[in-house]
Every structure is written in structure tokens, then in C-alpha cells.
Amino acid sequence: MAPRDTFFKRRSVPIPAMIGFQTPKTRGQTALEYVMIIGGAIMFVVLVVIILRSGILSGGVADVQKKSEDYQKTYLQNYLVFENFNTGTSKKWSPSPGPTIQNGRLKLLSGEQFTVQGTFTNFTLEATGKRTGGGGKFGVILRSLGTRSYQVYLDGSNVVLIGNNALPASVPALFAYSDNIDATLKVAAYSNNIEVFVNGVSKFKITNADAFMGSAGVYTDGVTSAEFDSFRISK
């Protein structure tokens, strides 16, 4: 029969294990875990490459890209003219050789006027611009045909619609304007109705306009300089 002390020594269990604590991991165990993590990451990368090559994900990306292109095409189809001047002009402007484009903006000096190629009758015109020096007027011109045209301008205190050669005009609406601040002029011209907005707010509307077709563009009068950041005409 084995001595009593030998019997208990053989059957003894470490106290930490008895009360639920784990013994420290050996270097071999830690290294094995690192190998398993790295191996799992490699398998994930391989799986992603296989999926991409099979076209499962690439087809989805292509579908999203096509929808984006279709949306952009549909959006632009609503515009007769869409100029942001980032890369020059997409349309021909008169008089030749056209306006000066610098840093993505169309620049005008005093007394300059430029119209975009095309004739328009029923449309909405939007132009964002600012007066960069001096006083006077800057704005847009529409239904310009021969000596007849409508002009919408800001002069620092008002927004005004005028008609050349006895065309009906509006009563000036108050609009305080300071130099070097962009303002967006919007003119909705449909049949005998012309409504003018500044920065999205309707300022006035006339209902006895002459509904003739003509060109549209931008102009200055008595202004040292002005700039336009965008010019759009939609149906």
C-alpha cells in the first residue's frame, strides 16, 4: 500500500483550477491562436477576390453606376442650357469670341452683354452671379429679338424687370444687395406671364408680357465688373 503522502500527491489538483481560474497560456498556445487569426484573414481576402472575379459584386456596382448615369441623363434632359463654367462653356455664346471664363466663372466688364445660342419662348432661366466692383446693374436678358428684349437686374436696392421698346415692365421690388455676394435670379417666362424670383423668393409677376421667342443671356450696365457662376435654362 502506497504511503499516505504519495497517494494524495498523485491525486492533487491545482487549486486555481479547482475554483475556476485558468492557468496561464503557454507560448505554444498563443502562437497557435495568432496563426489561426492570420489564416482566417487570408481566407477572407481570397473569398472576396473570388466573388469579385465571379461578377457577383461587380455586377451590383455596375448596376448602381448605370442608374446614376441614367438619372444624370434624365436630369440634364430637362435643361435646354446647362452652364456651370467649370470647363469653359458647352454652348456657343454671342458676340464672338464669347465671354471671358476664369476660375469657373463667367466675367463681364461694364456694358457687356452675352447671349447663349438658341431661341426660347416658354422656359425657366436661372443665373447665379455677383457684382464685384463699382455700382450699376447686373442681371439677365431674355426674349431678346432685334431691338426688343426683357431684362431682369439687381441695382443694389431693387430687383427690376424692364422691357425695351415699349414692352410692359414691372414695378421695382425692394431687394438690398451688397457687392461680392452671390445672388440667384430666376425668371419663369411662360406665354404672357413672367415671374421673377431672387434667392428662391418670388418678387413679382406680370401677366401682360409679349410672348415672342428670342435669345437669353447675361449683361451689365454701369458696372465695373460682375461674375456669373452658373446659367441654366429649363423647359
Side-chain angles (χ1 to χ4, degrees):
M1 183 174 181
R4 186 174 182 180
D5 59 338
T6 304
F7 176 85
F8 284 106
K9 186 182 296 184
R10 288 178 180 176
R11 289 161 178 76
S12 63
V13 178
I15 293 176
M18 292 175 63
I19 60 177
F21 288 97
Q22 295 182 350
T23 56
K25 297 179 180 179
T26 65
R27 291 184 180 180
Q29 289 175 312
T30 303
L32 179 61
E33 289 182 355
Y34 283 135
V35 170
M36 292 177 65
I37 293 171
I38 295 172
I42 293 173
M43 290 180 65
F44 176 77
V45 172
V46 171
L47 180 62
V48 169
V49 171
I50 292 173
I51 292 174
L52 287 174
R53 287 188 174 182
S54 67
I56 295 175
L57 290 182
S58 60
V61 171
D63 184 57
V64 171
Q65 184 177 1
K66 184 178 184 304
K67 288 181 179 178
S68 176
E69 292 173 352
D70 290 344
Y71 172 79
Q72 186 176 19
K73 187 183 296 182
T74 302
Y75 177 76
L76 292 177
Q77 280 177 351
N78 293 325
Y79 285 92
L80 304 172
V81 177
F82 191 97
E83 298 277 31
N84 57 22
F85 309 118
N86 289 337
T87 56
T89 59
S90 61
K91 296 280 188 179
K92 182 179 179 181
W93 288 70
S94 298
S96 181
T100 300
I101 308 296
Q102 290 181 356
N103 300 321
R105 300 179 77 95
L106 182 152
K107 300 201 172 191
L108 284 78
L109 298 178
S110 179
E112 287 192 311
Q113 173 181 309
F114 292 95
T115 56
V116 68
Q117 182 182 23
T119 55
F120 314 97
T121 303
N122 297 309
F123 60 91
T124 296
L125 182 158
E126 294 179 79
T128 299
K130 63 183 178 181
R131 190 172 61 187
T132 54
K137 312 166 186 176
F138 74 102
V140 297
I141 186 170
L142 60 145
R143 290 183 176 173
S144 178
L145 182 65
T147 59
R148 296 164 47 124
S149 66
Y150 283 103
Q151 296 172 349
V152 178
Y153 64 81
L154 299 176
D155 61 9
S157 302
N158 303 288
V159 54
V160 183
L161 166 68
I162 61 172
N164 292 334
N165 285 355
L167 293 175
S170 72
V171 176
L174 292 176
F175 181 77
Y177 174 79
S178 300
D179 287 353
N180 296 304
I181 297 177
D182 275 330
T184 298
L185 286 172
K186 176 181 174 181
V187 184
Y190 294 90
S191 187
N192 300 108
N193 303 310
I194 296 180
E195 187 171 6
V196 173
F197 303 77
V198 182
N199 294 337
V201 178
S202 177
K203 291 299 182 179
F204 52 77
K205 179 179 181 179
I206 65 171
T207 59
N208 59 342
D210 282 2
F212 58 89
M213 67 175 58
S215 59
V218 294
Y219 84 105
T220 59
D221 183 7
V223 177
T224 302
S225 59
E227 298 179 356
F228 288 88
D229 182 59
S230 63
F231 182 90
R232 302 179 297 276
I233 297 177
S234 57
K235 303 174 184 178

